[in-house]
Amino acid sequence: AVTVNQQAHCRYGPAKAYLHAADLYAGDTGTVRGRFQLSKWLYVKFDKLNYFCWVAPSVVDVVGDIEKINYAEVKLPGPSVLYHPPKNVVAVRDGNRVKISWDQVRMTSDDDRGYFLELFVCQGGNYIWWTFAYEDQFTTSYTIKDEKGCHAPSSGKLYAVEKHGYTTPVEIKWPAP
């Protein structure tokens, strides 16, 4: 069981970069139904909501042993039927920096929630999961540090985001170090 300990947001995925799903207020209660394998975020069914969402463990008080909870899969709302995925997605390496760029997905200002990147990169010999979101459609590139020396190749996905959900992801062709 969880009780919210401060005003917070519940999201459609296990990081701040995911789309907002609901507002939470101190005293809201729910039940943990899963946890994320790559972060400490919890998948919760809040009593006041008729759907599940993800919450940071820092904003809830937990009763029970989280370690006994199974991992949950991230299921993003979508794919969008209103907008297409970003086109002409290109990743270019310059030493230990990779710049990802794409064509703008034109959305109405009411629908526009920007872009979402979900990446796996190598930094300091560690293979890390990295998320990032732009809040609007007008910034169409992102640069991240990515080095040699990890057990798996770096990779990523890019989505356009509108208020109803995500487009189908575009797999980023990642340049080798």
Side-chain angles (χ1 to χ4, degrees):
V2 295
T3 302
V4 176
N5 59 34
Q6 60 186 289
Q7 187 172 348
H9 299 288
C10 206
R11 302 201 175 265
Y12 285 112
K16 286 183 181 181
Y18 286 91
L19 193 59
H20 171 269
D23 291 320
L24 301 174
Y25 299 95
D28 288 347
T29 58
T31 307
V32 176
R33 303 293 177 90
R35 60 190 172 112
F36 191 56
Q37 189 171 6
L38 302 174
S39 74
K40 295 184 183 252
W41 282 55
L42 304 172
Y43 191 54
V44 177
K45 170 59 178 81
F46 283 96
D47 299 336
K48 72 178 193 176
L49 302 175
N50 61 4
Y51 53 90
F52 295 80
C53 55
W54 293 89
V55 65
S58 60
V59 301
V60 292
D61 297 320
V62 179
V63 175
D65 185 357
I66 291 301
E67 297 299 317
K68 292 182 180 177
I69 301 293
N70 289 330
Y71 294 123
E73 183 180 334
V74 178
K75 298 174 186 168
L76 299 178
S80 173
V81 295
L82 300 174
Y83 301 99
H84 62 80
K87 294 182 179 174
N88 297 316
V89 178
V90 176
V92 177
R93 179 175 295 280
D94 182 10
N96 287 340
R97 316 281 299 160
V98 172
K99 181 178 182 180
I100 305 156
S101 58
W102 57 92
D103 290 347
Q104 178 183 355
V105 176
R106 297 190 187 282
M107 295 179 258
T108 66
S109 59
D110 181 55
D111 287 342
D112 185 10
R113 298 297 184 273
Y115 304 100
F116 174 72
L117 289 146
E118 184 177 39
L119 310 172
F120 286 91
V121 295
C122 186
Q123 294 181 356
N126 298 303
Y127 190 63
I128 58 175
W129 175 68
W130 186 270
T131 59
F132 183 81
Y134 283 119
E135 294 183 5
D136 64 48
Q137 63 187 294
F138 302 107
T139 305
T140 58
S141 69
Y142 182 74
T143 301
I144 189 163
K145 181 178 178 182
D146 180 55
E147 303 168 319
K148 293 180 187 178
C150 284
H151 68 280
S154 297
S155 63
K157 295 179 185 177
L158 172 67
Y159 302 76
V161 187
E162 49 108 343
K163 71 180 181 182
H164 303 101
Y166 297 78
T167 63
T168 302
V170 176
E171 294 284 338
I172 300 166
K173 290 185 179 180
W174 206 267

